[in-house]
Amino acid sequence: MIDPNAIAARLERELFDSIVPFWENHSPDPVNGGFFNLIDRDGTVFDTEKFIWMQWRNIYMFALLANTPAAPPRWLELAESGFRFCRDHAQLEDGGFAFSVTAEGEISDYDPQVAPMIEAIAAIASAQLFRATGQDVYRTEALLRLKRVREMIRAREAAGPFPGVPAFRSLGAWMHLVNAAAEVFACAGKMDGSPRRFLEEALEVLPGFRHPESGRWIERIGLDGSFRFGNSAGRMLMPGHGFETLWFMAEAAELIGNRELLAKIPDWTRSVYENALDREQGGLFPMQDALDLPLVLKESVGLKWWWTHSEALLALAMSWKISRDEWFLARFEEIDAWCTAHFRDSRNPEWFGWVDRAGNPVSLVKGAPSKTFFHVPRCLYCCAKFLRGE
């Protein structure tokens, strides 16, 4: 019999004894503020460029952990320092954020494609800061960023990606909206109706991304809810987004008492897992074609990603919490063991980010433009909570 409490205790030891110290000791910039993102296997900073979606993720995790029992004051200090750095150095004239800045805070790049995600992560980070401090500046920022996410989604769906190209709905955008709305509603939003309104809207839209015949969650659908399987872009799916969407939806449904939706999450999680599992080499595929045709859209299609597996663990733990079905605990143990064998570094803390299909690391770095103090610690923290039934 698998003991979920023992697993939870082990995950928390990894979080607080290994993961947090690694980032706390190596990521903060003591001179300019903010966080270094490009970090080698042993913690060495190998490039001082700072990526703003990673800055906000660091802020979120330190603020979230600052709300745990016996948290040292430094965690909240780091989160607030990161907030000031982003506010003072990364904001653009239109109120949005740059994609990256130099160590000193000079803007160096902007990427409109990830702008809504940056807003969403800023919203959840600010909400956790409000929860930790009660300061209105953070609540105001959380609500502002949440509303900007919704406005960006509305504008993109109205205009389309480019002139002459049909508009579509993006799973990633709506997934981040439901998470941001739930976090802001829980931490900072009960005096403003927009977080709950956005949350309920997203919960209505998101099930439309699930292809009912296959049980897969498709990255793009038409504004009318149609699936566009006539080209490879319309067939692309990322199991990590499927898992992430499911546990995000479950947390949101719990918040507002939507028991009907909550009851569907375990079966939906099972479908994503069974479709994503690599039955020959173990672990989970990062990208797939909805019709199982060859997928050639991305250079990294032959790799396996740390965040796919982190999100799978979260969805499996949440589905066990909802259903108490031992199948989910058994699958959790299998994926966690695969992560230990291939992503967890036996010499230094933190996980590798990318391995080949057989599980051999293709890069030894621990921090990258898309990897920081976020997916792994959030996984460990939330899985421990879910496995305790919280």
Side-chain angles (χ1 to χ4, degrees):
M1 185 111 177
I2 301 171
D3 182 355
N5 289 310
I7 300 173
R10 174 172 55 79
L11 298 178
E12 287 183 333
R13 286 195 298 273
E14 181 181 6
L15 172 63
F16 292 111
D17 295 348
S18 298
I19 303 298
V20 175
F22 178 87
W23 291 99
E24 184 179 356
N25 292 335
H26 301 298
S27 184
D29 179 350
V31 176
N32 303 292
F35 303 93
F36 295 119
N37 301 136
L38 302 173
I39 299 178
D40 212 342
R41 181 180 191 178
D42 63 355
T44 302
V45 175
F46 63 87
D47 191 307
T48 59
E49 187 82 353
K50 295 173 180 174
F51 299 90
I52 302 307
W53 57 344
M54 300 295 107
Q55 297 295 304
W56 282 113
R57 282 172 162 162
N58 278 268
I59 296 164
Y60 171 81
M61 278 310 309
F62 279 116
L64 176 70
L65 295 176
N67 285 299
T68 60
R74 175 167 164 78
W75 293 351
L76 181 56
E77 292 167 2
L78 287 171
E80 291 194 287
S81 172
F83 179 93
R84 291 191 297 270
F85 181 85
C86 290
R87 178 197 61 194
D88 295 345
H89 298 289
Q91 279 197 262
L92 305 170
E93 289 184 2
D94 68 355
F97 291 104
F99 177 69
S100 65
V101 300
T102 65
E104 297 77 19
E106 295 293 324
I107 292 174
S108 54
D109 195 11
Y110 173 70
D111 185 347
Q113 295 302 312
V114 300
M117 190 187 305
I118 296 175
E119 298 283 348
I121 302 166
I124 64 174
S126 299
Q128 287 294 338
L129 277 169
F130 176 75
R131 180 180 168 216
T133 67
Q135 295 182 24
D136 281 339
V137 63
Y138 299 127
R139 180 177 177 275
T140 299
E141 189 73 12
L143 290 167
L144 169 66
R145 296 301 158 190
L146 175 61
K147 291 172 183 177
R148 284 179 60 91
V149 175
R150 183 62 189 98
E151 289 167 2
M152 288 180 171
I153 293 173
R154 182 180 291 111
R156 290 189 177 191
E157 291 185 355
F162 300 102
V165 177
F168 60 85
R169 279 185 167 161
S170 164
L171 175 61
W174 284 93
M175 173 192 80
H176 281 289
L177 177 64
V178 78
N179 175 241
E183 289 259 6
V184 175
F185 178 69
C187 296
K190 295 182 180 178
M191 294 173 63
D192 183 307
S194 57
R196 178 161 186 151
R197 186 169 69 252
F198 297 156
L199 184 160
E200 291 177 339
E201 180 187 17
L203 287 181
E204 288 183 7
V205 169
L206 279 165
F209 288 92
R210 182 178 183 270
H211 186 238
E213 287 76 24
S214 68
R216 290 167 160 175
W217 292 73
I218 311 303
E219 289 293 306
R220 296 179 178 183
I221 60 173
L223 298 184
D224 61 355
S226 60
F227 295 97
R228 300 174 174 178
F229 287 175
N231 62 74
S232 56
R235 296 192 303 269
M236 189 185 77
L237 62 100
M238 300 171 71
H241 275 174
F243 290 124
E244 196 169 10
T245 297
L246 288 166
W247 77 266
F248 280 174
M249 290 174 65
E251 284 206 315
E254 282 185 330
L255 270 177
I256 62 172
N258 188 336
R259 308 303 301 178
E260 181 180 356
L261 177 59
L262 200 62
K264 297 177 181 178
I265 299 297
D267 283 345
W268 288 354
T269 299
R270 188 189 296 257
S271 292
V272 176
Y273 179 87
E274 291 180 340
N275 279 312
L277 183 64
D278 182 347
R279 289 175 167 78
E280 295 178 0
Q281 303 276 14
L284 303 164
F285 291 112
M287 301 177 68
Q288 294 176 299
D289 182 282
L291 301 181
D292 292 319
L293 298 172
L295 185 62
V296 294
L297 287 176
K298 299 285 185 179
E299 293 180 1
S300 57
V301 68
L303 306 182
K304 290 175 179 171
W305 305 339
W306 89 103
W307 70 265
T308 304
H309 293 73
S310 297
E311 302 307 323
L313 291 172
L314 284 157
L316 291 166
M318 172 59 85
S319 293
W320 174 82
K321 174 187 169 183
I322 296 167
S323 67
R324 292 301 197 268
D325 185 337
E326 289 280 324
W327 184 91
F328 293 104
L329 280 184
R331 303 294 81 73
F332 183 101
E333 288 272 77
E334 289 171 5
I335 295 300
D336 189 53
W338 203 89
C339 291
T340 296
H342 303 289
F343 286 114
R344 289 181 170 102
D345 185 354
S346 60
R347 286 172 39 189
N348 296 287
E350 249 291 345
W351 296 16
F352 300 123
W354 299 269
V355 299
D356 64 20
R357 186 177 173 189
N360 304 301
V362 298
S363 172
L364 300 182
V365 303
K366 302 297 177 60
S370 59
K371 183 178 185 295
T372 191
F373 180 51
F374 184 70
H375 286 101
V376 171
R378 183 179 69 170
C379 170
L380 300 174
Y381 174 85
C382 291
C383 283
K385 184 176 71 169
F386 299 160
L387 291 170
R388 290 198 171 103
E390 300 171 7

